[in-house]
Structure formats: C-alpha cells, structure tokens
Amino acid sequence: MMPEENTPDLHQTIVNELREENSLLRGQLDLYQKRCEQYMQAYDSLQHQVNELLRNRFGKKSERFIDPQHPQADFFENNALIFSQADIAGEANGDIAVAPYTRSKHKKADKALPRRIEIIPVSDEYKHCTCGARKIVIRYESKESLHYQPAVFEILEQRREVVACPNRCESEIVTAPVAPHVLPKAKVTEAFLAFLVVSKLDDRQPLYHLEKQLAERYGVDCSRQTMARWVIDLMAPMQPIYNLLKDAVIDYDVASCDATTLQVLNEPGRRAETKSYVYCIRGGPPETGAILYDYNDTQHQVFVKTWFEGFAGYLHVDGDNFFDAVGEVANRVNCNAHARRKFEPIAQGTKGKGLAKHALRFYKDLYKIEREAKNNGYTPAQRHALRQEKSKPLMDQFKAWLHEMYPTVLPQSPLGKAMHYCIKLWSELTRFLLDGRLEIDNNLTEQEIKPLVIARKNFLFAASVDGARALCMHFSFIRTAKLHGLDPYHYYVKLLKRLPYCQSVEDYEALLPWRIQLDYAKEE
C-alpha cells in the first residue's frame, strides 16, 4: 500500500512516460511514412521500367496517342482539311460532299533507263502467203520488261604514248602525262571508289561482305583492309568541300544538331567498350542546305561550342547536357517531341484519365496546328502568324497546368520528372514561336541520324578514329547529295574525277551539290 501523498507524483510520472512513448511512436510513424513514400517511389519507378521493357520487347513502338475520352476523333483528323467552304455552307441544306479516297501512287523514277530492243521474228514457214507473195512486217506487238544485267568489273589498262623521231635525231622522247587521280597510288578508278563508298554507307554493306562478294561473284581479289584504307585516304582531298559545306551551315542563322553513339575499337587512352558519339548537323538556306556528320569522343560541351563558333541564330537541340553550352553561342531551341516522349510511356501504362494523358492532349492540339500549316503550304511568315494565333495561347495554358499540377506529384516519379523537364526548359521549348522558320521539334535531324544508325547495325563499329571520321565525312556527302536530288554514286564519280584539277576556292565551290551538273550517261 503506497502512501497517498505519493499518488500525484506517480500520475505525473506515468503521464510523462506516456508522452515520451507517444513522441517516440510519432517519430517512428513519420519514419515509416517516409520509408513508405520512398518504397512507393521505388515501386513506381521499377514498375515503369518493367512496363517500358515489356513494351519494347512485345508491345507497339508507335508513339501515337489516341485520346480515351474521344477515341473517334482520330477517324476524322486526317480528313479535316478536305471539306471546302462550299461543303460547310451546304451543311445547312443537308448535303455534304466528301472528297473521294485516292490511293497514293509510287513516284516514278525521273532517270530514264537505257533501252535495248530485241526483235522476235516470225519463222520462215509463216512468211509465205498462199498467193505466192512473201509477207512483210507491218507492225510490232510490244512488251516491256525490266531487265537486270550484273555489274561488270574489268581491268582498265591505260597506255600512254611515247613518241620519238624515226630518224633517231637527238630530239627528246616525249611520254604522255599521267592522268591525275584522287588517290595516285590506288590501282582502282574513281568509279570503283564511288562504288565502294556508296556500297558501304548508303547500301549498308560491311567491307567483309564486299570482300566476299567481289571474290566469289566477280573474281576480284580486294581485301577489306585495302578498301578501308582507300575510304580513309579519301578524306584529305575531300576536306575542302566539307569545309565549304560547314561554312554554309555557320553562315545561316538556323541549324539543328543531334547525336548518336558509335563504338571505336582503337582510341588512344580509352577502352574498346567505351562509347563515342557522332553528331548530325543540319543547316544552311533551303536552296544551299547541308547535312553534316562529325565525330567526337570526350568533352562534348566543348566540342559543340567549338563546332558552332561563329554561328549566330537559332539551334535546334534536345535536352541532353551535351548542349548545355549552346546558349553561349546561339539561341537554343529545344525539341518538343522529346518533352512529349517523356509523358507518352506513362500515359500508355496507366488506365483512366491521368495527368500524362492530359499533357498528351496539349501536344496533340499543338501538332494539329503544325500539320495545318504544312498541309496548306504556309510560308514562314504565315506559319508564324498561325502559331501566334493558335499555338501561343495553347502553350500558355499548358504552362499554367504544369505549375498547378507539379506540386501534386512526387518529384522523383516518372511523371514528376516529365513535368520538371518541361518547366526547366520552358523558354527553350517555346522558342519555336518566335520565327516561322523554326520547327516545333528536332525530328528532321533525328531522321537524318537514322540512316547512320541502320548502317551501324551492320558494320557495328569503327576500327580507328580515322575510320570514324571517314564515316562521318562520307555520310555528309551522301546525305547532302540526296538532299539536293543527286544520285550519290554519280555525284561521287564526278567529284573524285574533278578534285585533282581544283586549284582555287572557286574550283571547289563548283563541286558543291547545289552547283554541280551531272550527266548520268557520261558518269557510268
């Protein structure tokens, strides 16, 4: 039995202990709640990665977004521009004329193919008439067939005349001069070099395939090491043309840049597994535009800044930190397709409305405006006016929505990262509104990287740094030639034949893709 006077102290002690225990439990609860949030973030992140892996492995690769709230809207989207004002006015009378569907036809080749006529005669037994006269040809029944003739590899023997006086005078014996060659020590013609470069890069045939094909099909003994050396040796004589193409990009005020990886086996001071990068740069005025590729291994921000030294204007790029220094030399225009791409997999992996799907609706409306300008053939001034009227208010709404919704999501979740990406780069993402020549995204440059990526899947890597630089240079000439409607093979043949005769800048400028004149019949 405890004394009564100690009862208040006991109660106070119990209360203090309960308060301490309550405080301890609250601390533990806060700790467990924070851990639970971390676990939920980790779970969402891992689930997002699993969904992406499953989609990449088994799902559709298309980034097309169909709004679940309006699934039928896409049915009319592509036909929205086929209704004329008369059709809209006629709706009041209940009559709407819908344009008929027209199947797209393949564009016929502009190049005229050689034609060989083969006469199939009637046998002599049917050429005699019953009256005794001999029948004559009055017309032909014609049938055209596409014919294939295998490539012909032959030895071109050049015999230079050596002349002397028949009277054995002391006059000098004269020998005809050696015809200039872009690679004097190479025992192949310019046509073979053009075939080699175009086959490897444009036709995407690795050199070991070409070596085997030449040996087994045509009996030509030419090792892959020799062919690789020729491809690299062509860089030096072609460098002045590349420099002129680069000048065309630097002198204009709109350009774009993107990068992809390339493995180079023998790089000084680096392991063979280390990835290097190839940059694709598009720029120049529409009539003298160029598509260039360049190689870099390290210090990418310094490389980009140095490459664009002297450039003043707008440069389309993505959000990669490689381009963080672009703001020091140009106005950075970020790619909205990259921003949209961060919301798209989240929207595909969730059910119901969702914030990611709401973001994609903004982008869907933005690209509908861009498609309207493209389908109507708007000039840059007209496209700028259209964007100010429709795109700018839409971007303002998107910005307000981002700032309203961002505090409600976990910052480290995929959705939080997607929203933060847009908020962080908002001024660069909206810069396309300033000039009608600017694009809403950098997809055109990504499309020019794709041929290199497909070729890389075949040749896998470059053996040396010189080999990587040669790949970039030849890809530059091939893609720029195609940009100006030239056949790469015939362009290379004439280019390689004319390079040894170039003595001045004007001579090199005459060989640029937008100035050169090709006669395909003579370049065979």
Side-chain angles (χ1 to χ4, degrees), residues 105-121:
K105 297 181 179 180
H106 293 289
K107 183 180 178 181
K108 293 185 177 180
D110 296 329
K111 182 180 177 182
L113 296 177
R115 181 176 294 270
R116 179 163 58 90
I117 298 177
E118 180 181 5
I119 303 296
I120 303 178

Side-chain angles (χ1 to χ4, degrees), residues 137-162:
V137 177
I138 58 174
R139 60 183 174 85
Y140 293 97
E141 291 289 337
S142 298
K143 173 188 175 183
E144 294 185 352
S145 302
L146 184 63
H147 177 63
Y148 168 73
Q149 182 176 348
V152 176
F153 290 88
E154 58 188 7
I155 301 298
L156 178 61
E157 181 182 357
Q158 294 181 336
R159 297 186 175 184
R160 294 181 290 132
E161 290 184 344
V162 180

Side-chain angles (χ1 to χ4, degrees), residues 25-79:
L25 291 175
R26 286 182 179 275
Q28 291 179 349
L29 178 61
D30 292 340
L31 176 62
Y32 290 139
Q33 285 179 342
K34 291 180 180 179
R35 286 185 178 179
C36 183
E37 291 179 359
Q38 293 176 354
Y39 294 151
M40 287 299 297
Q41 291 181 4
Y43 173 81
D44 291 341
S45 177
L46 292 174
Q47 185 63 47
H48 177 70
Q49 294 178 28
V50 170
N51 291 339
E52 279 293 280
L53 291 173
L54 291 174
R55 180 186 176 190
N56 291 334
R57 180 67 179 86
F58 302 107
K60 294 181 179 179
K61 304 298 188 296
S62 173
E63 296 180 359
R64 183 185 181 190
F65 171 66
I66 299 178
D67 191 348
Q69 296 183 359
H70 306 285
Q72 291 297 326
D74 285 50
F75 178 79
F76 300 99
E77 182 175 320
N78 294 331
N79 297 324

Side-chain angles (χ1 to χ4, degrees), residues 140-431:
Y140 293 97
E141 291 289 337
S142 298
K143 173 188 175 183
E144 294 185 352
S145 302
L146 184 63
H147 177 63
Y148 168 73
Q149 182 176 348
V152 176
F153 290 88
E154 58 188 7
I155 301 298
L156 178 61
E157 181 182 357
Q158 294 181 336
R159 297 186 175 184
R160 294 181 290 132
E161 290 184 344
V162 180
V163 296
C165 179
N167 297 325
R168 297 184 178 183
C169 297
E170 296 182 358
S171 60
E172 180 183 4
I173 298 177
V174 180
T175 304
V178 178
H181 194 281
V182 66
L183 298 180
K185 295 183 179 181
K187 296 184 178 181
V188 288
T189 65
E190 296 86 354
F192 184 89
L193 293 173
F195 158 78
L196 172 60
V197 172
V198 173
S199 296
K200 176 176 174 57
L201 301 180
D202 197 39
D203 298 338
R204 302 182 286 274
Q205 293 193 56
L207 292 183
Y208 66 89
H209 281 184
L210 285 174
E211 178 186 24
K212 182 178 180 181
Q213 182 186 98
L214 291 173
E216 296 182 355
R217 188 174 299 176
Y218 304 104
V220 176
D221 183 14
C222 190
S223 68
R224 70 191 77 171
Q225 292 82 5
T226 301
M227 290 188 286
R229 187 177 69 253
W230 290 337
V231 172
I232 294 174
D233 289 346
L234 284 174
M235 279 198 300
M238 299 179 74
Q239 187 66 47
I241 306 292
Y242 184 91
N243 294 340
L244 291 174
L245 294 175
K246 182 177 179 179
D247 290 342
V249 174
I250 298 298
D251 292 342
Y252 195 57
D253 61 342
V254 177
S256 60
C257 183
D258 202 358
T260 188
T261 58
L262 178 67
Q263 184 178 2
V264 181
L265 297 184
N266 300 313
E267 284 184 294
R270 306 186 77 198
R271 298 176 59 186
E273 298 83 1
T274 307
K275 296 292 184 182
S276 297
Y277 284 82
V278 170
Y279 288 79
C280 176
I281 301 101
R282 294 175 57 255
E287 64 278 3
T288 59
I291 301 171
L292 302 180
Y293 300 79
D294 209 342
Y295 163 82
N296 186 56
D297 51 358
T298 59
Q299 298 183 346
H300 299 285
Q301 293 186 16
V302 176
F303 169 81
V304 174
K305 183 179 178 181
T306 304
W307 204 99
F308 284 97
E309 185 177 357
F311 177 82
Y314 299 100
L315 183 61
H316 293 84
V317 294
D318 57 34
D320 200 303
N321 59 8
F322 291 179
F323 307 109
D324 287 348
V326 166
E328 301 178 21
V329 294
N331 294 315
R332 179 171 176 173
V333 184
N334 265 73
C335 175
N336 278 278
H338 278 77
R340 179 192 180 278
R341 204 167 291 155
K342 294 183 180 299
F343 292 100
E344 189 270 338
I346 306 172
Q348 295 289 352
T350 57
K351 297 181 180 180
K353 298 180 180 179
L355 295 178
K357 293 180 180 178
H358 193 70
L360 290 185
R361 293 189 192 100
F362 280 109
Y363 278 110
K364 184 177 181 180
D365 293 338
L366 279 173
Y367 276 91
K368 187 181 297 184
I369 297 169
E370 296 298 311
R371 189 161 51 249
E372 177 184 348
K374 180 180 179 181
N375 292 341
N376 290 326
Y378 282 177
T379 63
Q382 291 172 327
R383 184 161 71 161
H384 176 260
L386 179 67
R387 286 171 172 173
Q388 294 299 312
E389 177 187 355
K390 297 183 178 181
S391 300
K392 189 177 185 302
L394 195 61
M395 293 296 283
D396 293 339
Q397 295 176 22
F398 187 30
K399 179 182 180 181
W401 178 83
L402 285 172
H403 285 280
E404 179 185 358
M405 293 294 110
Y406 181 63
T408 66
V409 301
L410 296 174
Q412 295 304 314
S413 66
L415 184 58
K417 292 179 180 179
M419 289 184 171
H420 180 263
Y421 179 90
C422 294
I423 295 173
K424 177 184 176 182
L425 299 174
W426 186 255
S427 60
E428 290 84 359
L429 289 172
T430 56
R431 195 158 282 158

Side-chain angles (χ1 to χ4, degrees), residues 490 493-494 497 518-524:
H490 293 93
V493 171
K494 186 160 188 177
K497 286 183 176 180
L518 297 183
D519 185 350
Y520 291 102
K522 293 182 179 180
E523 303 301 334
E524 296 291 346

Side-chain angles (χ1 to χ4, degrees), residues 479-488 513 518 520:
R479 298 306 302 176
T480 304
K482 285 193 169 186
L483 177 67
H484 293 278
L486 302 179
D487 176 71
L518 297 183
Y520 291 102

